[in-house]
Amino acid sequence: MSEENKPAQEQAGEQQAAAPQKPEPPLTRLLRNNFGEVVLDHHDQHGDETVVITRERMLDVFSFLRDDHRCSFSLMMDLTAVDLMPRQPRFELVVHLKSIDLHHRLRVKVPVSEDSPEVDSIRDLWIAADWYERECHEMYGIKFKGHPDLRPLLLYEGFQGHPLRKDYEKGRQQPLVPLRPVTERYNYGETFHPVPEQPAPGGENK
Amino acid sequence: MSSIRRIKPLDFGAEPMVIEVGPSHPAMHGITRFQMQLDGEVILSMDPEIGYLHRGFEKEAENSRWHQIMPYTDRLNYVSPLINNVGYALAVEKLFGVEAPTRAQYARVIMCEISRITDHLTCNGASAMEVGALTVFLWFVKAREYLWELVEEVTGARLTTNWARIGGNANDLPQGFLEMLEERLALTEQTVVEGETLILRNKIFLDRLKDVGILSKERSIEHGFTGPLLRAAGVPYDIRREDPYLVYDEMDFEIPVGTTGDCLDRFLVRQEEIRQSIAIIRQAAAKMPPGDFHCRDRRVWVPEKRDTYGNIEGLIDHFKIIMDGPKPPPGEAYFPVEGGNGEVAFYVVSDGGGTPVKCRVRPPCLNYVAAMPEMCVGHYIADIVPIFGSINMIGGELER
C-alpha cells in the first residue's frame, strides 16, 4: 500500500465504517486502512480491542504500532501464545500493547501453523519481548526468527517437548540429564569474553 | 558517591574473573543465579539465570476448574497474595460479565492496599537489611506483622489467603474489623516513620543507594517496566489511575514519581506509596456501604444453603458449580491490576467449558530481572545487592 493515497483512503474508511451497525474500533480501522488484507479479523469483546494479523507482515504492523503517532504503543506488556488444538492454524501468538501517552491498549494476535511454527521476533522493537519470546519458545516450540538467544528460560537444556502444548500430558516424566561441563554454560551476550577451556598456564600474560 | 564506571578493556591482559552468585545466596531473594565476569570488582558482563522455582502454574491451571485456580494465585506473589486473588477474580468476572457488589469491591480495595503495604515493607525492609541496616528490617517487619494479623483476621491465613472468589469474596469483613483496622493503621504508620527516621539521613545507606542501578525513563519503558520502578524513573503510570478497576476512581490519592530512577528513588517511591495506600484504606473504610459480599449470579455463585438442601434447582446449581466449575462464555479477557511491583495481569481464554484454555499471568518482575545486566554492568559487585533488592524480585511470580 503506497503512502500517497493514504489520507483519501482514511476518509473513505471512516465513511464506510459508519455504514455497518457496529463501527470498527479506531485502531482496527487505522490498521485496516494502512495494511488492508493484513488484518484478518478483529473484535472488541469485553472492551479489549483485538486485531488478528498475518504472520508475513507482522513486523511492519508492529513497527507501525510502535512508531505512528496515532498508536504510539511504547509498552510491550505481554507476549504469549495459545494452543487452540484441534483448530487450525493451531497456535496463536498473543501480544498485549499499551500506550503511555495515548492511554489505550491493543491485543494483537498472529495465527501460527503447526507445520512451521515460526514468527518474526519483535525483540528489536521492544527489548522487553526478549525473555517473553524465550519463554514462549520453550513452552510452545514457536521459533522467533531474528532472536539471537533462544536458550530455555524457565526450563533447562535437554528438556524434551514443549510443556504448554495441549498434547503434552501433565504428568509426563522427563529423563535425567547429565551434568554439563562448566565451560559450556557461560554465555555473556554482547560483552562476551571467551572463557578458556583449560586454566591458562602461569606467566602467559606477560 | 558511586557512579557508573564504564567498561574498558583490561589493560594488563589478565583474564576477567568469572564468578557466580546464587542460586542459594541470601542476597538472591530465593533462587536466581547470576553468572558474571569481573574486572577487579567491576562487573563486565552478567547473565541472569532463572527457573529454579518454576512450578508450571499455567499447565496446572489448564488442568483445573476455574474456581480451583484461586489457591494457586496465592503462590504467585506471596508477599501480596490478595492482589493476585483479586486480579484473577476480576479477570474471570470480566469473562462472565458479572460484577461483585459494591461492598465486596470496597473490601477488595482495602485488602489489596493492605497487601501493597506489606509488599513494599518487605521489599524496603529487606533491601535496607542487605546494605546493613538490620534494625530497619526489624521495624518494617513489625509494621508488616500488624497488617498480616489483619489479613489473618479476614482470610484465616497470613500468606495463603485464597480469599477472593469469582463474583465476590469468600466472606465479609468480620465484625469490629474497621475499628481494628484503624488502630492497626495508626500503629503501622508510626512504626514506618520510626523505621524511616533511622535510615533516611544515614550517609552510608544513602551512598549505597544513590545513583546506583539507574535506568532512564526511555529504557525503562522499552524494558516494559511498570509499577514503582517505572514511577521511580519519572513516569506517573499507575493502573489504579490509568484503567481504574474496583472503586479506585472514587479514591483520592497521589502517584509519587522519582526523578532519576536509581535505587534510592525506588525506595522513596515505595515509602510514599505506603502512605498513599494508608490514605486509600481510610477512605475506603469510611465510604464502605452495607450490602452483600458476593453476587447472586447463578452461574458463578453457589446457592444459599437453604436452597441447596431445600429445592432441586438449588441442589443442581450447587452440584454443577462444585463439580464442573463455573463455565464462562467463550472468549478472552485481559485484566491488569496494579500489583505490589507492577502490572499483574491475567489473560484468560475460555472455550465455554469448566476449564480454562489458557490462564496466563503477566509477571512484572520478569522484565526487571531481564534488565538486571543493563542496570548492573559497570557497577561494583557490591552494588548488585541494593539493585536486586530494589527491583523486588519475587520468585513465585517471576517463574510461576
Side-chain angles (χ1 to χ4, degrees):
Chain A
M1 193 151 297
S2 61
E3 286 290 279
E4 292 86 46
N5 55 3
K6 205 174 80 179
Q9 272 197 347
E10 261 181 44
Q11 284 173 5
E14 276 164 28
Q15 282 164 7
Q16 278 169 12
Q21 291 91 354
K22 203 176 173 195
E24 283 186 341
L27 287 166
T28 314
R29 195 167 61 212
L30 187 66
L31 283 180
R32 225 187 255 288
N33 289 334
N34 280 281
F35 294 97
E37 296 299 305
V38 173
V39 180
L40 299 172
D41 196 6
H42 75 275
H43 71 75
D44 58 343
Q45 192 185 28
H46 309 301
D48 295 349
E49 197 175 337
T50 306
V51 290
V52 184
I53 59 171
T54 59
R55 180 167 59 160
E56 284 71 30
R57 290 197 60 199
M58 63 178 275
L59 266 188
D60 299 339
V61 177
F62 277 115
S63 30
F64 176 81
L65 285 172
R66 189 190 68 163
D67 298 330
D68 191 87
H69 68 279
R70 290 159 293 182
C71 304
S72 157
F73 283 106
S74 44
L75 270 175
M76 203 291 306
M77 268 302 172
D78 192 16
L79 183 148
T80 186
V82 186
D83 185 355
L84 295 161
M85 195 174 82
R87 209 194 77 175
Q88 291 294 338
R90 179 171 163 186
F91 300 107
E92 231 168 25
L93 186 77
V94 185
V95 182
H96 287 94
L97 302 173
K98 167 82 195 175
S99 165
I100 288 186
D101 304 328
L102 303 177
H103 312 286
H104 52 213
R105 285 178 190 271
L106 182 68
R107 180 190 297 139
V108 184
K109 301 207 284 186
V110 185
V112 183
S113 68
E114 190 179 356
D115 316 322
S116 64
E118 207 175 43
V119 291
D120 291 317
S121 167
I122 57 168
R123 180 188 176 275
D124 292 339
L125 299 172
W126 293 279
I127 189 73
D130 189 342
W131 278 25
Y132 287 100
E133 286 181 355
R134 275 173 72 181
E135 190 192 337
C136 195
H137 171 249
E138 64 184 351
M139 293 297 173
Y140 287 96
I142 294 174
K143 225 172 158 236
F144 290 88
K145 268 184 286 181
H147 194 293
D149 176 24
L150 279 176
R151 282 176 300 156
L153 182 71
L154 300 177
L155 307 177
Y156 48 87
E157 295 284 356
F159 191 95
Q160 291 181 359
H162 303 290
L164 281 183
R165 287 191 173 189
K166 292 285 181 194
D167 48 12
Y168 185 99
E169 292 148 37
K170 193 180 124 193
R172 183 167 148 190
Q173 294 284 317
Q174 287 287 325
L176 284 175
V177 289
L179 278 176
R180 286 164 291 164
V182 169
T183 42
E184 277 179 23
R185 283 187 288 167
Y186 294 113
N187 181 337
Y188 295 99
E190 287 155 11
T191 48
F192 179 75
H193 296 271
V195 176
E197 287 284 332
Q198 300 290 324
E204 200 199 291
N205 291 333
K206 290 288 171 185
Chain B
M1 191 154 300
S2 52
S3 60
I4 292 193
R5 289 154 286 269
R6 295 316 322 176
I7 317 166
K8 55 179 185 358
L10 300 173
D11 308 321
F12 44 91
E15 294 292 340
M17 185 182 179
V18 174
I19 195 166
E20 304 203 19
V21 184
S24 317
H25 186 279
M28 289 299 110
H29 290 234
I31 30 184
T32 303
R33 186 169 71 147
F34 292 126
Q35 303 174 359
M36 287 172 289
Q37 286 188 315
L38 304 177
D39 169 15
E41 282 195 53
V42 179
I43 301 164
L44 292 178
S45 71
M46 181 186 232
D47 182 31
E49 185 180 300
I50 63 169
Y52 295 94
L53 199 58
H54 179 58
R55 286 106 61 214
F57 166 78
E58 280 181 50
K59 193 72 182 172
E60 200 63 50
E62 285 170 20
N63 287 282
S64 308
R65 306 285 174 206
W66 287 97
H67 61 320
Q68 289 176 328
I69 298 168
M70 193 60 77
Y72 294 129
T73 62
D74 295 341
R75 277 85 173 163
L76 293 170
N77 187 341
Y78 37 70
V79 286
S80 52
L82 283 155
I83 300 181
N84 301 303
N85 284 178
V86 170
Y88 174 71
L90 285 168
V92 184
E93 283 167 16
K94 188 171 174 180
L95 267 184
F96 270 108
V98 299
E99 221 176 42
T102 322
R103 184 178 173 83
Q105 297 200 16
Y106 274 93
R108 282 179 178 183
V109 166
I110 292 177
M111 299 314 281
C112 280
E113 292 309 313
I114 290 178
S115 284
R116 190 182 322 283
I117 301 174
T118 59
D119 191 291
H120 288 352
L121 284 173
T122 313
C123 171
N124 278 354
S127 40
M129 176 190 66
E130 284 165 359
V131 297
L134 181 68
T135 320
V136 180
F137 177 68
L138 298 177
W139 251 246
F140 282 2
V141 165
K142 188 169 86 175
R144 194 178 70 170
E145 204 61 26
Y146 295 134
L147 300 171
W148 270 354
E149 280 169 21
L150 283 177
V151 172
E152 194 177 8
E153 196 71 16
V154 177
T155 68
R158 290 146 57 89
L159 290 176
T160 52
T161 53
N162 186 18
W163 179 66
R165 293 285 182 274
I166 301 163
N169 302 326
N171 49 9
D172 202 358
L173 299 179
Q175 279 215 325
F177 177 78
L178 294 182
E179 293 76 42
M180 188 182 170
L181 179 72
E182 184 42 55
E183 178 203 325
R184 291 300 166 91
L185 284 183
L187 279 171
T188 309
E189 222 169 12
Q190 189 198 340
T191 318
V192 169
V193 170
E194 282 171 10
E196 268 182 12
T197 320
L198 285 169
I199 208 170
L200 282 183
R201 296 181 66 182
N202 181 319
K203 187 168 187 317
I204 301 170
F205 178 75
L206 295 180
D207 280 356
R208 287 296 302 274
L209 265 67
K210 203 162 171 25
D211 294 332
V212 169
I214 295 177
L215 204 60
S216 70
K217 202 174 177 174
E218 292 72 29
R219 288 302 288 171
S220 298
I221 292 175
E222 210 173 311
H223 268 293
F225 278 25
T226 45
L229 269 76
L230 188 59
R231 293 195 278 276
V235 185
Y237 175 75
D238 190 320
I239 301 153
R240 291 173 291 175
R241 189 60 61 73
E242 187 86 11
D243 305 298
Y245 54 99
L246 295 175
V247 286
Y248 279 113
D249 47 350
E250 294 170 26
M251 301 293 157
D252 180 23
F253 64 100
E254 282 170 21
I255 302 172
V257 288
T259 46
T260 54
D262 59 3
C263 291
L264 184 63
D265 270 354
R266 293 172 194 153
F267 188 92
L268 294 174
V269 162
R270 287 204 175 91
Q271 286 304 112
E272 183 55 33
E273 277 182 21
I274 291 175
R275 295 199 168 78
Q276 296 300 329
S277 291
I278 291 177
I280 295 177
I281 296 175
R282 289 209 166 110
Q283 291 172 45
K287 285 183 186 169
M288 192 142 175
D292 267 345
F293 63 90
H294 61 82
C295 69
R296 302 269 174 193
D297 197 307
R298 283 178 58 202
R299 294 173 300 163
V300 295
W301 203 269
V302 287
E304 301 265 336
K305 273 284 174 276
R306 64 166 184 273
D307 290 328
T308 308
Y309 294 126
N311 59 56
I312 188 67
E313 288 83 6
L315 184 62
I316 290 174
D317 277 358
H318 186 100
F319 180 80
K320 291 300 266 184
I321 285 187
I322 299 297
M323 298 309 287
D324 294 353
K327 290 181 179 168
E332 53 190 341
Y334 178 85
F335 203 102
V337 295
E338 182 70 30
N341 51 357
E343 171 164 330
V344 178
F346 283 89
Y347 172 59
V348 283
V349 182
S350 164
D351 60 354
T355 306
V357 173
K358 171 94 179 165
C359 175
R360 152 96 179 165
V361 55
R362 177 203 187 264
C365 43
L366 190 80
N367 303 61
Y368 309 155
V369 181
M372 271 299 278
E374 196 169 323
M375 288 191 272
C376 288
V377 167
H379 277 301
Y380 285 130
I381 189 167
D383 291 333
I384 294 177
V385 175
I387 296 174
F388 200 56
S390 76
I391 66 172
N392 194 12
M393 192 281 299
I394 306 290
E397 175 186 75
L398 175 72
E399 292 154 24
R400 305 179 299 289

